[in-house]
């Protein structure tokens, strides 16, 4: 690639992206600014025709191709915003584009690509994941002479994304700190190579989902490394390995990396909605999630000019169900926990009285044994985690032992909907969580793949509108067949984790006597 920093300035300043893209607003988030005692500004890339910044990089790359390359057509592999950006750009340039998408891609995204590209786009569905779609795209490119349009690891794509920085500097030259989401790194590379050369004192903070922190891993290793797996919620940044050229630029210009979890992302989606009435996609809300988290940890930062980027708003509507459930946990306005109640009249009333009139958001009860019940409780908080710590102290003084489940992903995703089922005399039960590509018939295919050799003792499936399905499964595995079972799981090819020792399982679902 060998593009110098000064060449990037030249590329960004002369980029023709505005033939297709628009100059988006930089808006102040008044409510969040007041809450965090800083001036928070948000770059509204949801205002692009394709609802994300990806249009900039895709169009700029197309504009750098020769006429011969344009006549031969282009190809891209993507199940998300890059696909829509390439499709829109191809139509704008009047050329043919092939978009390879996994067969598991939601129909709404496939239709969006077709609508943006019209007769200029051919959608090819191949494989059940991005890797297989990407490999097929490369094969088609070699076979038909198409030019690949990469999503992030290309100087022209990086320069296209860098036009955001030019706009932000014009719109607010007083910005002091900028939080930028990272997937493959094209966005942060383009913005930072521009801003740091013109305003070197501006602090650039990279933001990653803690389930796909490929830049953090690369910084720790000193070079790009492939993550063994990535999370599925913030699918727009679910990239296993940072781009080579983005990483080179990040090494020069990125000051810090912050990771955020799914609950913090959900809280940020709500923050953005409260101030703008716009619903960001999970990846699009990363910067705001990090701003809230960072300023809560660095209370010395006051009255600073802080920027973030709403980099996309292509959210699956059904994902909102999950966001609504989890946003208050992310804002620390709710806690969920488990405890035991004595099986006697008035015990529940006494327990609620100790909560001091606080609102109970959830209460799941199940008889455990003659002398006690186990309960799963959700509680509204007004003053965050310190308030919950005070509640725990008060309850424990009255002989209630609490088990905080607010950060227990299995408890929040599955167990809260399953409280109650306890097997009797099932001594060989083992619990596993699985992740598999979501498409019609996927659950049946998953069951067929598991086979019938081991008895299933527990099953809970939950889909929050993402490309992958999540399932919790219990198996009756005699000790003498554990090795065979482990080998079988490895051969299945699904991402899985054993959850047998998870305290949420032991407390509510296991035949073992709960948590000691």
């Amino acid at each position: 690639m060998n593009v110098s920093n000064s060449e990037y300035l030249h590329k960004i300043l002369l980029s023709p992206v505005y033939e297709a893209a628009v100059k988006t607003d930089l808006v102040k988030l008044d409510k969040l600014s007041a809450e965090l005692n800083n001036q928070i500004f948000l770059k509204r890339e949801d205002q692009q025709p394709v609802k994300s910044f990806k249009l900039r990089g895709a169009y700029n790359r197309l504009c750098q191709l020769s006429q011969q390359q344009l006549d031969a057509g282009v190809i891209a592999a993507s199940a998300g915003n890059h696909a829509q950006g390439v499709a829109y750009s191809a139509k704008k340039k009047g050329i043919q584009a092939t978009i390879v998408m996994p067969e598991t891609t939601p129909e709404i995204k496939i239709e969006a690509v077709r609508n943006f590209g019209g007769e200029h786009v051919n959608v090819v569905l191949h494989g059940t994941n991005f890797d297989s779609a990407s490999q097929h795209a490369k094969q088609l490119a070699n076979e038909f002479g198409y030019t690949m349009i990469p999503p992030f690891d290309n100087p022209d794509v990086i320069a296209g994304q860098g036009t955001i920085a030019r706009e932000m500097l014009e719109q607010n030259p007083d910005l002091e700190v900028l939080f930028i989401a990272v997937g493959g790194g094209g966005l942060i590379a383009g913005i930072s190579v521009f801003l740091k050369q013109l305003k070197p004192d501006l602090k650039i903070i990279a933001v990653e989902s803690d389930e796909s922190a490929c830049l953090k891993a690369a910084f720790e290793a000193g070079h790009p490394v492939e993550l063994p797996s990535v999370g599925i919620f913030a699918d727009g940044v679910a990239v296993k390995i940072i781009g080579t050229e983005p990483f080179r630029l990040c090494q020069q210009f990125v000051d810090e990396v912050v990771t955020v979890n799914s609950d913090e992302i959900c809280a940020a989606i709500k923050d953005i909605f409260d101030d703008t009435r716009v619903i960001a996609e999970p990846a699009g809300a990363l910067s705001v999630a990090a701003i809230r988290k960072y300023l809560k940890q660095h209370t010395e930062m006051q009255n600073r000019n802080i920027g973030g980027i709403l980099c996309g708003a292509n959210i699956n509507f059904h994902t909102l169900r999950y966001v609504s459930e989890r946003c208050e946990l992310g804002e620390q306005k709710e806690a969920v926990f488990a405890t035991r109640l004595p099986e006697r009249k008035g015990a529940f009333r006494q327990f609620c009285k100790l909560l001091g009139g606080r609102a109970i958001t959830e209460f799941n009860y199940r008889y455990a044994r003659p002398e006690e019940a186990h309960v799963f409780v959700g509680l509204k908080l007004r003053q965050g985690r310190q308030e919950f710590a005070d509640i725990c102290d008060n309850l424990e003084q009255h002989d209630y032992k609490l088990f905080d489940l607010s950060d227990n992903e299995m408890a929040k995703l599955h167990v809260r909907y399953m409280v109650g089922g306890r097997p009797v005399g099932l001594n060989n039960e083992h619990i596993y969580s699985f992740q598999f590509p979501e498409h019609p018939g996927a659950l049946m295919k998953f069951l067929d793949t598991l086979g019938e050799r081991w008895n299933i003792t527990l099953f809970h499936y939950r889909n929050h509108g993402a490309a992958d399905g999540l399932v919790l499964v219990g198996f009756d595995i005699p000790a003498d067949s554990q090795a065979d079972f482990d080998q079988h799981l490895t051969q299945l090819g699904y991402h899985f984790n054993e959850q047998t020792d998870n305290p949420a399982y032991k407390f509510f679902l296991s035949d073992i006597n709960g948590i000691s």
Side-chain angles (χ1 to χ4, degrees):
M1 294 179 180
N2 298 320
V3 178
S4 69
N5 295 338
S6 59
E7 285 180 281
Y8 269 114
L9 279 180
H10 185 267
K11 280 177 167 289
I12 292 169
L13 290 171
L14 297 182
S15 173
V17 296
Y18 301 107
E19 295 172 2
V22 299
K23 182 177 180 180
T24 57
D25 294 337
L26 181 68
V27 300
K28 183 182 177 185
L29 302 182
D30 292 322
K31 184 177 179 181
L32 191 62
S33 296
E35 180 183 347
L36 298 178
N37 298 313
N38 283 273
Q39 312 305 310
I40 313 297
F41 297 90
L42 188 66
K43 184 64 169 166
R44 293 281 307 278
E45 283 300 288
D46 62 289
Q47 294 175 342
Q48 294 296 348
V50 299
K51 308 302 181 188
S52 90
F53 75 95
K54 286 288 190 178
L55 173 60
R56 296 175 185 260
Y59 190 79
N60 192 56
R61 176 59 183 144
L62 261 60
C63 289
Q64 312 311 316
L65 299 182
S66 67
Q67 189 60 51
Q68 182 180 359
Q69 288 174 309
L70 291 173
D71 291 342
V74 299
I75 190 167
S78 171
N81 294 337
H82 180 58
Q84 297 179 43
V86 172
Y88 189 93
S89 299
K91 183 177 181 180
K92 195 75 175 178
K93 296 288 288 183
I95 66 170
Q96 290 302 124
T98 299
I99 309 294
V100 184
M101 311 178 81
E103 296 170 0
T104 55
T105 304
E107 187 64 29
I108 188 172
K109 293 186 177 182
I110 297 172
E111 285 304 309
V113 170
R114 287 174 172 153
N115 289 337
F116 282 128
E119 62 184 14
H120 294 276
V121 168
N122 175 37
V123 174
V124 176
L125 301 179
H126 182 86
T128 59
N129 55 51
F130 173 76
D131 289 339
S132 60
S134 179
Q135 187 60 40
H136 187 61
K138 292 174 184 177
Q139 292 172 357
L140 292 177
N142 291 332
E143 183 178 353
F144 295 104
Y146 301 144
T147 298
M148 286 288 297
I149 306 299
F152 48 81
D153 202 0
N154 177 274
D156 294 326
V157 173
I158 291 170
Q161 322 303 20
T163 57
I164 295 173
R166 184 176 73 185
E167 294 173 19
M168 294 186 77
L169 201 56
E170 293 171 351
Q171 292 165 325
N172 189 342
D174 296 324
L175 283 176
E176 300 168 79
V177 186
L178 183 58
F179 291 78
I180 307 172
V182 176
L187 177 65
I188 193 168
I191 291 176
S192 62
V193 72
F194 185 88
L195 289 179
K196 280 290 193 174
Q197 292 185 80
L198 300 181
K199 193 173 182 181
D201 292 338
L202 189 149
K203 187 173 185 178
I204 301 287
I205 299 179
V207 187
E208 296 187 286
S209 165
D210 61 5
E211 296 182 333
S212 55
C214 61
L215 177 59
K216 181 182 178 183
F219 274 145
E220 291 171 352
H223 56 84
V225 292
E226 184 171 343
L227 302 175
S229 63
V230 293
I232 61 173
F233 178 55
D235 57 348
V237 292
V239 177
K240 287 186 177 182
I241 184 168
I242 194 80
T244 302
E245 179 67 356
F247 179 65
R248 184 183 73 82
L249 295 170
C250 286
Q251 282 183 302
Q252 296 180 61
F253 301 120
V254 171
D255 297 291
E256 195 173 341
V257 179
V258 174
T259 62
V260 293
N261 61 36
S262 293
D263 289 348
E264 290 163 341
I265 295 170
C266 290
I269 293 173
K270 182 176 181 293
D271 283 334
I272 293 170
F273 178 81
D274 285 346
D275 259 307
T276 67
R277 292 302 183 264
V278 170
I279 301 175
E281 64 184 88
L286 250 66
S287 62
V288 173
I291 288 171
R292 172 182 283 280
K293 181 175 185 176
Y294 195 86
L295 293 180
K296 291 288 186 181
Q297 294 172 344
H298 296 79
T299 55
E300 75 281 0
M301 291 180 65
Q302 302 282 321
N303 298 313
R304 306 282 292 276
N305 289 306
I306 297 172
I309 300 169
L310 198 178
C311 49
N314 289 308
I315 189 169
N316 185 329
F317 181 79
H318 297 293
T319 302
L320 296 176
R321 173 176 60 199
Y322 176 86
V323 172
S324 178
E325 289 174 357
R326 303 292 285 267
C327 64
E328 294 207 327
L329 285 165
E331 292 179 304
Q332 297 187 357
K333 292 181 179 178
E334 183 186 25
V336 292
F337 62 93
T339 191
R340 298 183 178 95
L341 293 183
E343 272 293 350
R344 57 176 171 78
K345 292 180 179 179
F348 179 44
R349 182 174 178 274
Q350 179 187 9
F351 174 76
C352 292
K353 187 175 181 180
L354 290 173
L355 297 178
R358 294 178 177 86
I360 295 174
T361 58
E362 184 168 0
F363 192 91
N364 295 321
Y365 160 88
R366 182 65 168 175
Y367 173 92
R369 54 179 66 88
E371 64 274 13
E372 68 180 21
H374 289 177
V375 293
F376 184 107
V377 184
L379 199 62
K380 192 86 169 178
L381 302 176
R382 298 185 183 90
Q383 291 148 10
R385 297 295 294 178
Q386 184 55 52
E387 180 183 1
F388 182 58
D390 295 339
I391 293 169
C392 292
D393 290 342
N394 181 44
L395 288 172
E396 288 181 1
Q397 288 174 14
H398 289 82
D399 298 325
Y400 291 95
K401 186 175 182 181
L402 269 63
F403 304 95
D404 185 9
L405 301 177
S406 302
D407 293 322
N408 188 310
E409 190 64 20
M410 193 183 91
K412 293 182 291 185
L413 191 63
H414 294 288
V415 174
R416 71 193 304 175
Y417 306 101
M418 301 172 64
V419 171
R422 282 185 182 277
V424 177
L426 189 60
N427 299 321
N428 297 314
E429 186 176 62
H430 292 255
I431 304 296
Y432 292 83
S433 58
F434 290 86
Q435 179 178 317
F436 57 85
E438 183 61 71
H439 57 84
L443 186 57
M444 195 67 239
K445 180 180 178 181
F446 172 76
L447 292 172
D448 290 341
T449 306
L450 282 180
E452 299 180 353
R453 182 175 173 184
W454 289 275
N455 183 43
I456 292 177
T457 59
L458 174 152
F459 197 95
H460 181 254
Y461 167 72
R462 178 134 178 98
N463 185 325
H464 51 72
D468 288 321
L470 303 174
V471 65
L472 191 70
V473 188
F475 299 90
D476 183 9
I477 309 172
D480 59 3
S481 68
Q482 182 68 55
D484 289 344
F485 182 82
D486 292 344
Q487 183 179 5
H488 180 66
L489 281 193
T490 302
Q491 293 172 346
L492 290 182
Y494 292 116
H495 179 66
F496 68 92
N497 287 297
E498 184 167 8
Q499 304 283 358
T500 307
D501 291 329
N502 191 301
Y505 161 71
K506 288 185 174 181
F507 201 87
F508 290 109
L509 304 172
S510 172
D511 190 35
I512 303 170
N513 291 330
I515 305 171
S516 59

